[in-house]
Amino acid sequence: MHLFYKAVLIFGGGTALLFLFSFIHIQQGSVDITLSIIMEAIFGNGEELEHEIIRTLRLPRIVVGIMAGAALASAGVLFQTLTKNPLASPATLGVNAGAYLLVILGAVFLPASLPVNGFVLAFAGGAIAAVLVFLISGGSQATPVRMALAGMVLTLTFSAFTSAIQIFFEYETAGLFLWGNGTLVQNDWSGAQFMVPATLTLLAILLLFSKKFDVLFIGEEHAKGLGENVTFIRVSMFLGAVTLTAISVSVVGPIGFIGLIAPHIIRLMGLYLHGWLLSASMLWGAVIVIGADVAGRWLDPSLNELPVGSVTALIGAPWLIWLIWKHRGTFFRLSRKEGLSGSGSGKKVSYSIVMIGAIIFTVTAVVFGISVGSQGLELQNTWLALINSEETALRSFIINLRLSRVLVALVTGMLLAISGLLFQGVLRNPLADPSVIGVTSGAGVGAMLILYVFPALSAAWIPLGAIIGSFIAVAIVLLLSKKMHFQPAVMALMGIGISAVGSAIIQILIVRFNLNAASALTWLSGSTYARGFDELQWFLIGPLLVIVPIAFYFMKQIDLLALGEETSIGVGLNVTLLRWSMSILATVIAACSVAAAGTIGFVGLVAPHIARMIVGHDNRKIFPLSMLIGGGFLVWADALGRLVLAPKEIPSGIVVAMIGAPFLLWLMRKRKV
């Protein structure tokens, strides 16, 4: 297609769509407004309530949406060129999450200066995140996949800290849940007055330097040969991308995937040089943001304000999956020799001694867990209450509340560990874990739908909802990954994309049904708060007594599968049947765990790997050890979460994420995926 016709299609079509979406947007709301009133408000004629609504609420919202879309799309272009990574964007590189974390910290500890320093904090957080991702993924040796994985895992880490802060400082961060998921809601022109000049000035500067950015296409050596200062160009692009992201986050919160979608739409239309690419991406980024906000308000007629970031995630996460699929031949060298990471212990340790140590670790965790009360560690009082027959009230409290909660954490950790072990074994994927490949997110969606969309159903239906949701998620990931031989990095990226969709749906449900943000964050983070014998009976005992023994029976066959598919088939193993049947068992176990304790992640990743590093690769030995490590790990996390800031609680899922996400980063670095 001739460049002229491409320009007409891209810029003319984009402008028409932007006007159309803006026109629809300005008419959305609880107050019906006619076209004549809109024109009067825009041109300053009229002082009625409807005119003020347009001037002070709706027009500022459209303006900041356009600026945010242009800024995030341009940042995506710069990050993709800078890193040579088509998956790069402020969201996938953790820049949004880093910016959001520091703004939340500012809201808590520097509330008076937040309106002034919000941009500075967002810039600092985004810059720190981008540098960390670059270093963690291997610096100059980083590959697109490693960088995307590092960014997404760093996002999980930052999100865990952010959720903890929001839970503990609920009053200080009140009203930030909606903003934290990306929202264009404005009460006046202050946000637009900051965004418009800052964004337009920076975008104009970037367009002036766009030809300089083009030289990076020919390679660093050739660019230097032409006399270009490549270091200056790279630093300028980095600062420009982070600054644009910070401007957007400081006003409208972290809106994800715009920097991924818009640049690729323009490239698909055949524009690659930065002058065209930046200007067209700005326009289409604005179109996507305003269109997503229109869609969010249309989807929720109650006008509870669905976060626009959740709507863009529903669009962007499938787009990420499609990009992974599209570039699979370029990104990934598929290999059938992919095995599990980690090796046996350097020093031979008796398995019985290892198991005794694991039992001591778990029993100590249980004792510690039942001894932690609202006043901190109460070991002596707990022991005296249990042995003193006169302390019936305190003993009943300890057994019915503390012990029951600890048992829920113990069994949940055991089940998640076995789920992770099964996924890692049958998929031969060291990164497999119910949370990493999207199972827990899907289960969370299913459980939330039963709880809030179908409230007439009893709690007994929650596991069914969780199982259905998790099966849908894992089926999508497995079917997409099958074509790429279940390559670990591919599967992890696919799972993270599915998890993003699940998280967006959950956020929409929270806003739609007016749930308390702190309680919702606690459940989403995973917590055994107020859990007891009912959850143990309804959700956990059945899988523990029925599915776990069945899974152990197949450990010998999973050992054979570790030798490779050809070898396994040669000895008569039905690889396909084993892979799908064990995946089903692992999914059911994970879903029941989510129904009992929320979306706790990383236990299924950490526990099997620690066990494997201690006893080697015999899954029959790893199996019971993983159960003890996983159960003890979650009990310790739950107890520490109750102890550190007693009487306040850190959800156990957040404590686990603070340990599990860095562990995943270490595992990626060790594996060089």
Side-chain angles (χ1 to χ4, degrees), residues 15 49 132 144 184 201 203 215 255 290 353 358 376 434 448 476 526 553 574 589 608:
T15 303
L49 176 63
L132 284 176
L184 304 184
T201 300
L203 291 176
V215 301
I255 299 175
I290 299 300
I353 293 177
M448 292 275 290
I476 294 171
Y553 175 80
N574 189 330
I589 291 174

Side-chain angles (χ1 to χ4, degrees), residues 162-476:
T162 302
S163 297
I165 294 168
Q166 288 181 281
I167 290 169
F168 289 117
F169 298 95
E170 183 179 1
Y171 176 77
E172 292 83 354
T173 60
L176 291 180
F177 179 80
L178 180 64
W179 176 83
N181 292 296
T183 179
L184 304 184
V185 174
Q186 301 292 305
N187 295 320
D188 53 39
W189 282 93
S190 58
Q193 287 171 350
F194 167 70
M195 283 192 78
V196 172
T199 304
L200 292 181
T201 300
L202 186 53
L203 291 176
I205 294 171
L206 291 172
L207 286 172
L208 288 175
F209 281 89
S210 60
K211 289 186 178 180
K212 296 286 186 182
F213 303 153
D214 291 336
V215 301
L216 295 181
F217 290 146
I218 64 175
E220 187 170 335
E221 295 302 322
H222 288 87
K224 289 180 178 179
L226 295 174
E228 298 291 347
N229 188 334
V230 176
T231 301
F232 174 77
I233 294 173
R234 291 185 181 279
V235 171
S236 300
M237 295 178 74
F238 175 80
L239 292 176
V242 174
T243 304
L244 286 168
T245 304
I247 292 171
S248 176
V249 171
S250 64
V251 176
V252 300
I255 299 175
F257 295 102
I258 302 301
L260 192 70
I261 303 170
H264 282 286
I265 289 176
I266 306 308
R267 290 192 182 96
L268 286 173
M269 294 181 181
L271 297 184
Y272 299 96
L273 296 180
H274 282 87
W276 291 102
L277 186 58
L278 279 169
S279 55
S281 295
M282 295 174 198
L283 174 60
W284 281 86
V287 170
I288 295 167
V289 170
I290 299 300
D293 203 35
V294 168
R297 303 181 88 191
W298 176 75
L299 287 170
D300 186 9
S302 68
L303 299 177
N304 281 335
E305 291 295 349
L306 296 184
V308 67
S310 299
V311 181
T312 59
L314 290 177
I315 304 168
W319 191 275
L320 171 64
I321 294 170
W322 176 79
L323 283 175
I324 297 167
W325 180 265
K326 179 187 175 190
H327 292 281
R328 64 191 184 277
T330 305
F331 286 167
F332 315 114
R333 295 179 180 179
L334 305 180
S335 172
R336 294 178 181 270
K337 298 179 181 180
E338 197 70 68
L340 292 173
S341 69
S343 58
S345 173
K347 296 180 180 180
K348 189 68 175 178
V349 181
S350 169
Y351 183 69
S352 58
I353 293 177
V354 170
M355 288 300 296
I356 290 172
I359 292 171
I360 293 173
F361 167 77
T362 306
V363 171
T364 304
V366 171
V367 172
F368 188 80
I370 63 175
S371 301
V372 175
S374 60
Q375 303 303 314
L377 185 61
E378 303 171 353
L379 188 61
Q380 183 177 1
N381 291 339
T382 301
W383 175 252
L384 291 175
L386 291 175
I387 64 174
N388 190 344
S389 59
E390 296 180 359
E391 295 285 352
T392 55
L394 184 56
R395 182 192 300 174
S396 175
F397 176 83
I398 292 171
I399 293 175
N400 292 324
L401 294 180
R402 292 190 200 168
L403 178 61
S404 62
R405 174 175 179 162
V406 166
L407 290 177
V408 168
L410 177 68
V411 179
T412 298
M414 288 180 169
L415 293 179
L416 289 172
I418 296 306
S419 179
L421 178 62
L422 290 174
F423 277 125
Q424 290 167 20
V426 298
L427 301 176
R428 301 174 61 234
N429 182 348
L431 301 179
D433 165 80
S435 60
V436 174
I437 64 175
V439 177
T440 54
S441 180
V445 172
M448 292 275 290
L449 286 172
I450 294 296
L451 276 170
Y452 300 110
V453 179
F454 305 105
L457 298 176
S458 67
W461 289 90
I462 293 176
L464 179 61
I467 290 171
I468 293 173
S470 60
F471 269 118
I472 293 172
V474 79
I476 294 171

Side-chain angles (χ1 to χ4, degrees), residues 50-66:
E50 291 83 355
H51 299 112
E52 288 303 311
I53 289 174
I54 293 172
R55 291 194 191 109
T56 60
L57 299 179
R58 299 189 184 181
L59 281 178
R61 180 171 181 153
I62 293 173
V63 171
V64 298
I66 291 172

Side-chain angles (χ1 to χ4, degrees), residues 592-612:
C592 291
S593 301
V594 171
T599 54
I600 296 174
F602 295 108
V603 174
L605 179 77
V606 174
H609 276 289
I610 292 176
R612 195 173 291 114

Side-chain angles (χ1 to χ4, degrees), residues 99-159:
Y100 180 39
L101 173 59
L102 258 69
V103 171
I104 288 292
L105 287 171
V108 173
F109 299 108
L110 299 170
S113 61
L114 184 62
V116 178
N117 294 333
F119 164 73
V120 176
L121 292 170
F123 178 86
I128 291 169
V131 171
L132 284 176
V133 167
F134 180 73
L135 295 176
I136 291 169
S137 58
S140 59
Q141 304 300 315
T143 64
V145 177
R146 291 179 68 188
M147 192 170 289
L149 284 172
M152 291 179 183
V153 176
L154 197 65
T155 296
L156 294 175
T157 307
F158 286 157
S159 297

Side-chain angles (χ1 to χ4, degrees), residues 422 547-558 578 582 620 623:
L422 290 174
I547 299 179
V548 169
I550 294 173
F552 182 76
Y553 175 80
F554 285 95
M555 284 298 105
K556 187 174 182 179
Q557 295 185 37
I558 293 177
L578 177 66
M582 291 300 101
R620 286 167 294 182
F623 193 97

